[in-house]
Amino acid sequence: MTLKRRALLALAVAATGLAALPALAQDYPNKPITMLVGYNAGGQTDLVARGAAQVLSQELGQPINVVNVPGAGGVVSAKKLQESPNDGYTIMFHANSVVNSAPFLMKRVDFKPDDFEWGGFITAYQGGLVAPADAPYNDLAEFVAWAKENPNFAYGALSPEARMYMNEIAKKNDLKANIVPLNSGGEMINAILGHQVVMALSGGIHAKYPDQIKMLATLTTFRHSNAPEVKSIDDFGYSLAMDTRAGIMAPKGTDPAIMAKLSAALAKCETDESFQKIVAAANIPIIYMDAAAAKAEMEATFAKNGEIYKSAGVEPQ
Amino acid sequence: MRRANIYSGGFLALLGLAMILFVIPAQIEEGPAGMMSPRLVPQMIMGLMTALSVMLVVRNLMLPDDGEGSPVSRSEYIALLKIGSVFALALVLFYFAGPLWAGLAIVLGSLLALGERRPLVLVLMPIALLAGVWVLFYRVLGTAIL
Amino acid sequence: MQALIGGFAEVFTFSTMFWIVTGVTVGYILGVLPGLGKATGVAVSIPLTFYLHPVAAIAMLIGIAKGSTAGGAVSAILLNTPGEPSSAPTALDGYPLARQGKAGKALKMGLYASVIGDLLSTIVLIGLAAPLASYALLIGPVELCAILVFSLTFIGGLSGKSLIKGLIAGCLGIAFSTVGLEIETFIPRLTFGMLELDDGVKLVPMAIGMLAVAEMIVQAGNIRKLDAETAEIGKSNRREDRNLSLEDWKVCAMPIIRGTFIGTVIGILPGLGASVASFLSYGAARRAADRPEEFGTGRIEGVAAAESADNAVIPSSLVPLFALGIPGSVIAAILIAAFVLHGLTPGPLMFKENPTMVAAVYASMLCASLAMLVVGSLGQPIFARIARFPIRLIIPGVLLLCCVGAYMETSSLFSIYIMLIFALIGFFAKKFDYSFVTFLIGFVIGPQVELTFRQSLQLLNHDPTRLLQHPIAAVFIVITLVTLVLMARSRRNQPEAPGVATTKSLNQGGEI
């Protein structure tokens, strides 16, 4: 094949492709959509994803097949998404921490926000530092004062972020903490209720135990729907708050028109009764962001989180 | 079993040594100070396994030869080869043709490899099995696996 | 009691009963299929239950959990393919029984043991949920670590003909369990840079490969002999092979009671799960037997012990959930969502605020046990026909199911590779007589021991004298030491010939 013919052919392919593109976005979707979820079936994010899939398929008029691809906190699934065609028929519903947190913690992950297209967020995670309800301290400042009197206290951590928080608090206040590794949210609840640890980081599951567990500080920039009186860790002078949201991501290069359609359909979750029921049961607030806001949020949090991890001296493993 | 024990014990002892000397240091980093090293448990357990394997070899060397041959028979090696090839073919088809063909290769390939020649069975069984899997996942459970 | 009667009144409506039976049936079928488990079943069904009455919804979900646990025994016995990881020990004796033409007997015992274990454990849940739960919190990481170390001594009793080879297999199991992110330092171990391995080697594809695929390869290598045997099975349609005799019940009574006890206790302790229970119960039955070396060759007690413990875990793992709102198992964690969705917050307040509702849930659980008996009895003859097919027709089907089951777990080919690697390991382990049981116990318990040990180090502030503040842990450490000394003594008194075990016939070797 000569160079000229090859160039012509490429041009022809490009032309038909261009011609086809708008039509593609207009008909979208005309076949079932696959939605990857990077956690196991039955988890909280999976429940929300399945709820959202229901709404999306009503709005878009095509079935949405939820496929669980667990592994490395969603990184495996995100890599699979990257390899998928960017035609809008493979999307992923996941926590955005897979892009704005994982690269700073895992050496083998180099995601950046613009490696993906963002189709909007629908829920946010309400993480916080929690303690048994009968503990003698009621907020983070009081805890620090108590901890100075009681060195070698036990703190429960189930993620590198959780370790980072305690290390930063300890560094700033010259505390001596024993960090107890925990395996799951359920184990964290056990450790708190059984008074094995005096404080732990919760991803939000503590909200199910309002009478036994209290929150000392939120780890988000916003106040939580179920405990509006609790202040953010930023308010205690640490600037460590990191927001995590769940929503739709798609392979890089997916048509913006398709992303807009997905984003508009996702917005309907806000008012969908059965979706509201699901997230209310799991104590997850609905905080909708459209595609443009989601992209801006990703850029901002990626830079901010990177700064936090860097200044805390957290090395990716 | 005597000879099988000596060979398998020797193999496992070498494997354990290789793990301790090369694989674990290369694959597991030393953790930060103040925490139990992540290498500790793998190294301990591989050390124990190596010691046990050496013991197995030594104790069997002391036994008289029982004259038993390989515990794996010729026909079993052939079966391993046959089923292995069926899986290899299925994997290749999965990458280049799609999951449906891979599934077909597994059912049809193993039927043929095991000596089934009745055409009716060769046609009906793959269809019935694959259709069954499809109905179960996509219709009954309403979920996708591929 | 009054409340329980009220609860039954609420459950004995057509629609509630219908959903219980549906749940059990769906669960039973899911359980039979390898790789499809209760977690998948319950997770997929939760959205379906939006449209149901709360009691019916929860009853259906619990029915799925119970049914799938019982169903796991069917494929374990007929195909040597555990439908659920916790049914793996059922296969050890159930499958040899099926090969001897006693599939009907083994299936029946599996079902009855499941139902008995389940029923008794449900009664424990009803009677003791509140008082027991306050003790559950006394078991912290330090205590759990001591208990787990104690349970590791069971490996000695389980290792079959050669203690050394059993221990080697256990070491290998632990070694494979260390793959993945270490939970304290978050440093990847032995992952060879593969992100898919960060969460470790998954039990389901591993067990499918080692048990089922390896078994199919061995069978393919002995096809003629097995077909002759199958022909025998077809001819000898003896009543006593299909039905349970009084003699069978006599030998199984103790293992079932013991298994139910073990399963109930392990269910109440958080985080251990059904696999640990069924393996421990199987091991305990084997130790207690007068001829332990016959286990693995088709002893009906093996099936009874494993299945009773397996099923007893499900109701009792709800004890911490009901009494304190703490999920003691995956299934309990998923059920929390369902409970809350239907206006019931698990925890002590549940008993005060919603006594009729709790009673109705209890009543529906009892009904689910009985539904399991009916569904199982009706389903078994249909499934048992599989055992009569010639091997060359079974193998292709099982291989396909294995692939689907392994693939399901992560929706990626990676699991298939894991399955194939362990099929190869399993094939040689089987032929060279290295115990699969100790391998799996090491794999399941090993990481728990390491984690709880790491937790204990922090909780005790690296100071062993602080152990005195944990009397339960101290007691278990003493028991462990005593057991080890006793075992060492009994071994010295009756010296074993190492590794002279022979697998004369394919099915007499038994040890997988």
Side-chain angles (χ1 to χ4, degrees):
Chain A
M1 201 187 276
T2 64
L3 204 65
K4 201 175 155 195
R5 273 180 67 188
R6 198 183 287 182
L8 266 177
L9 198 69
L11 207 71
V13 169
T16 48
L18 278 179
L21 256 183
L24 249 175
Q26 243 165 37
D27 309 337
Y28 177 86
N30 57 16
K31 60 175 185 179
I33 299 168
T34 299
M35 183 195 263
L36 307 178
V37 175
Y39 293 118
N40 277 315
Q44 288 206 345
T45 307
D46 178 66
L47 276 179
V48 176
R50 285 176 193 272
Q54 199 92 49
V55 178
L56 285 178
S57 88
Q58 274 162 24
E59 288 303 309
L60 299 170
Q62 284 289 344
I64 304 222
N65 296 319
V66 175
V67 177
N68 297 93
V69 188
V75 174
V76 173
S77 170
K79 292 228 157 160
K80 184 169 175 151
L81 183 72
Q82 276 188 315
E83 291 160 9
S84 303
N86 56 6
D87 56 5
Y89 290 98
T90 310
I91 58 175
M92 176 165 156
F93 189 96
H94 204 71
N96 62 0
S97 57
V98 68
V99 171
N100 68 19
S101 218
F104 307 116
L105 299 169
M106 301 165 82
K107 228 183 264 173
R108 297 155 293 160
V109 180
D110 58 355
F111 296 144
K112 290 181 298 300
D114 58 3
D115 288 345
F116 298 95
E117 305 297 334
W118 300 89
F121 295 126
I122 186 65
T123 55
Y125 295 81
Q126 304 198 119
L129 293 172
V130 299
D134 54 5
Y137 33 81
N138 290 311
D139 66 17
L140 187 57
E142 287 177 34
F143 173 80
V144 168
W146 177 89
K148 279 184 179 154
E149 305 298 315
N150 298 276
N152 296 320
F153 60 86
Y155 164 80
L158 43 72
S159 62
E161 294 98 308
R163 299 195 85 85
M164 186 270 287
Y165 279 108
M166 183 38 77
N167 286 335
E168 284 299 285
I169 294 171
K171 201 159 65 186
K172 195 162 174 184
N173 300 295
D174 202 19
L175 303 179
K176 277 190 71 118
N178 283 340
I179 302 183
V180 181
L182 298 171
N183 205 4
S184 63
E187 205 172 285
M188 187 275 296
I189 296 291
N190 271 336
I192 287 281
L193 293 185
H195 291 86
Q196 276 126 17
V197 299
V198 295
M199 186 168 85
L201 184 143
S202 163
I205 186 173
H206 63 273
K208 292 195 181 118
Y209 308 86
D211 300 322
Q212 295 127 299
I213 300 180
K214 62 186 171 193
M215 190 160 53
L216 305 180
T218 77
L219 297 173
T220 52
T221 55
F222 54 88
R223 296 284 176 109
H224 293 184
S225 54
N226 50 333
E229 71 287 353
V230 179
K231 290 195 285 185
S232 159
I233 188 167
D234 282 3
D235 299 335
F236 293 99
Y238 292 92
S239 65
L240 291 171
M242 295 191 275
D243 293 344
T244 306
R245 297 167 195 279
I248 291 175
M249 46 206 281
K252 189 181 171 73
T254 306
D255 191 332
I258 289 178
M259 296 317 289
K261 271 195 175 176
L262 287 170
S263 164
L266 190 66
K268 293 284 193 279
C269 290
E270 266 189 305
T271 48
D272 185 82
E273 212 169 288
S274 73
F275 184 81
Q276 284 173 340
K277 240 178 153 178
I278 296 173
V279 294
N283 273 301
I284 300 170
I286 299 180
I287 304 178
Y288 173 72
M289 284 186 172
D290 66 11
K295 193 167 168 56
E297 164 85 0
M298 284 313 296
E299 301 286 351
T301 54
F302 184 79
K304 182 183 171 199
N305 295 358
E307 206 45 56
I308 290 177
Y309 285 115
K310 211 174 115 196
S311 69
V314 176
E315 289 283 327
Q317 298 287 356
Chain B
M1 263 295 141
R2 175 180 174 269
R3 220 184 296 167
N5 281 345
I6 294 172
Y7 287 138
S8 60
F11 171 76
L12 287 167
L14 286 180
L15 178 78
L17 274 183
M19 290 291 288
I20 296 170
L21 293 179
F22 307 111
V23 182
I24 292 176
Q27 284 294 324
I28 308 180
E29 288 172 33
E30 275 298 341
M35 289 183 229
M36 220 169 99
S37 167
R39 283 184 190 172
L40 183 70
V41 172
Q43 269 172 342
M44 249 166 54
I45 217 70
M46 279 296 124
L48 185 61
M49 189 184 85
T50 309
L52 285 165
S53 306
V54 171
M55 242 164 88
L56 182 71
V57 172
V58 171
R59 286 177 82 164
N60 275 281
L61 278 175
M62 293 190 305
L63 289 175
D65 196 347
D66 57 5
E68 265 188 49
S70 162
V72 188
S73 69
R74 219 179 99 84
S75 64
E76 283 167 343
Y77 274 123
I78 293 173
L80 185 63
L81 206 69
K82 276 182 183 168
I83 306 263
S85 325
V86 168
F87 274 114
L89 176 71
L91 283 171
V92 170
L93 282 175
F94 190 99
Y95 285 117
F96 294 103
L100 186 67
W101 296 101
L104 206 62
I106 286 175
V107 181
L108 198 59
S110 48
L111 274 174
L112 287 171
L114 296 172
E116 181 62 56
R117 293 291 180 272
R118 287 171 290 177
L120 197 63
V121 175
L122 290 178
V123 173
L124 283 185
M125 213 167 120
I127 294 175
L129 279 172
L130 290 173
V133 168
W134 180 79
V135 166
L136 175 68
F137 284 96
Y138 290 84
R139 291 283 146 243
V140 180
L141 292 175
T143 182
I145 52 170
L146 293 167
Chain C
M1 206 59 226
Q2 197 79 47
L4 197 60
I5 294 166
F8 268 110
E10 198 156 327
V11 170
F12 280 130
T13 62
F14 175 76
S15 82
T16 311
M17 290 308 280
F18 173 79
W19 288 112
I20 292 175
V21 174
T22 306
V24 171
T25 311
V26 169
Y28 201 76
I29 295 170
L30 287 176
V32 172
L33 300 170
L36 274 176
K38 30 184 176 282
T40 322
V42 175
V44 171
S45 316
I46 282 182
L48 292 178
T49 65
F50 291 153
Y51 310 102
L52 302 182
H53 180 264
V55 173
I58 290 165
M60 176 177 164
L61 294 171
I62 291 177
I64 292 177
K66 286 185 165 195
S68 65
T69 313
V74 175
S75 43
I77 290 170
L78 293 177
L79 302 171
N80 207 21
T81 310
E84 297 259 338
S86 55
S87 290
T90 311
L92 299 176
D93 278 284
Y95 183 67
L97 278 170
R99 296 300 327 162
Q100 291 157 24
K102 295 176 187 161
K105 191 197 266 285
L107 285 173
K108 284 200 178 99
M109 183 46 83
L111 178 67
Y112 297 149
S114 293
V115 173
I116 294 170
D118 189 280
L119 204 58
L120 291 179
S121 176
T122 307
I123 292 169
V124 169
L125 168 72
I126 295 172
L128 297 174
L132 267 185
S134 51
Y135 289 101
L137 283 181
L138 290 179
I139 308 290
V142 182
E143 288 77 15
L144 207 54
C145 184
I147 294 173
L148 286 169
V149 170
F150 171 66
S151 63
L152 274 180
T153 59
F154 280 95
I155 283 195
L158 276 175
S159 54
K161 293 143 203 142
S162 163
L163 179 65
I164 296 184
K165 283 163 94 176
L167 292 176
I168 292 176
C171 285
L172 266 179
I174 297 176
F176 276 111
S177 77
T178 61
V179 174
L181 287 188
E182 194 279 303
I183 216 93
E184 185 171 23
T185 55
F186 296 97
I187 288 175
R189 296 197 289 198
L190 305 173
T191 61
F192 299 91
M194 283 178 275
L195 285 162
E196 288 89 345
L197 282 178
D198 270 17
D199 296 340
V201 179
K202 289 283 195 302
L203 181 64
V204 169
M206 188 186 88
I208 288 181
M210 268 189 117
L211 276 175
V213 179
E215 172 68 25
M216 289 303 124
I217 295 172
V218 174
Q219 291 197 353
N222 297 275
I223 205 158
R224 248 179 241 140
K225 197 172 125 209
L226 287 169
D227 274 345
E229 274 181 21
T230 309
E232 279 300 303
I233 298 177
K235 267 183 260 161
S236 73
N237 190 6
R238 290 183 302 174
R239 250 189 97 77
E240 64 262 36
D241 286 348
R242 273 179 295 135
N243 292 320
L244 291 166
S245 63
L246 196 62
E247 193 55 34
D248 292 328
W249 278 110
K250 269 188 197 151
V251 287
C252 289
M254 258 322 279
I256 290 180
I257 293 170
R258 202 184 302 115
T260 305
F261 178 76
I262 292 176
T264 308
V265 171
I266 288 201
I268 293 171
L269 297 175
L272 291 179
S275 303
V276 177
S278 54
F279 272 106
L280 286 184
S281 168
Y282 180 79
R286 182 165 165 167
R287 289 184 97 179
D290 42 353
R291 283 193 300 279
E293 69 280 1
E294 277 182 13
F295 271 72
T297 62
R299 289 278 292 252
I300 191 98
E301 309 98 284
V303 174
E307 277 306 304
S308 56
D310 185 8
N311 257 77
V313 169
I314 303 295
S316 76
S317 72
L318 298 179
V319 168
L321 178 70
F322 279 20
L324 292 163
I326 299 169
S329 62
V330 180
I331 202 78
I334 298 175
L335 280 177
I336 287 188
F339 273 90
V340 176
L341 207 59
H342 291 287
L344 203 62
T345 310
L349 286 179
M350 187 170 83
F351 294 90
K352 281 183 215 146
E353 286 170 357
N354 256 324
T356 22
M357 179 90 168
V358 174
V361 170
Y362 282 161
S364 62
M365 287 181 75
L366 290 172
C367 290
S369 296
L370 299 178
M372 208 161 87
L373 187 65
V374 176
V375 170
S377 302
L378 292 177
Q380 279 183 352
I382 302 169
F383 289 119
R385 275 165 209 262
I386 296 172
R388 305 261 163 118
F389 280 32
I391 294 290
R392 66 173 186 284
L393 292 185
I394 293 180
I395 293 176
V398 174
L399 289 181
L400 183 72
L401 274 184
C402 288
C403 291
V404 172
Y407 187 90
M408 270 293 292
E409 177 99 356
T410 57
S411 308
S412 77
L413 269 191
F414 191 79
S415 299
I416 300 280
Y417 287 115
I418 295 280
M419 176 188 88
L420 291 177
I421 289 167
F422 280 96
L424 200 63
I425 295 174
F427 175 78
F428 285 105
K430 191 179 171 75
K431 296 316 291 182
F432 284 84
D433 203 27
Y434 285 85
S435 165
F436 178 70
V437 194
T438 51
F439 179 92
L440 251 194
I441 293 207
F443 186 82
V444 173
I445 300 186
Q448 303 262 10
V449 177
E450 187 185 354
L451 177 65
T452 51
F453 186 70
R454 282 174 183 273
Q455 292 172 332
S456 305
L457 274 185
Q458 295 294 341
L459 289 172
L460 300 175
N461 197 22
H462 294 85
D463 178 4
T465 56
R466 281 212 194 175
L467 253 182
L468 293 175
Q469 294 164 13
H470 298 266
I472 301 179
V475 166
F476 269 97
I477 290 173
V478 172
I479 299 179
T480 309
L481 292 176
V482 171
T483 313
L484 284 179
V485 170
L486 286 179
M487 270 167 59
R489 273 208 190 153
S490 70
R491 287 272 169 190
R492 200 175 305 154
N493 289 345
Q494 15 167 282
E496 48 146 6
V500 284
T502 49
T503 33
K504 283 266 162 47
S505 145
L506 183 73
N507 299 310
Q508 276 162 16
E511 200 82 36
I512 300 177

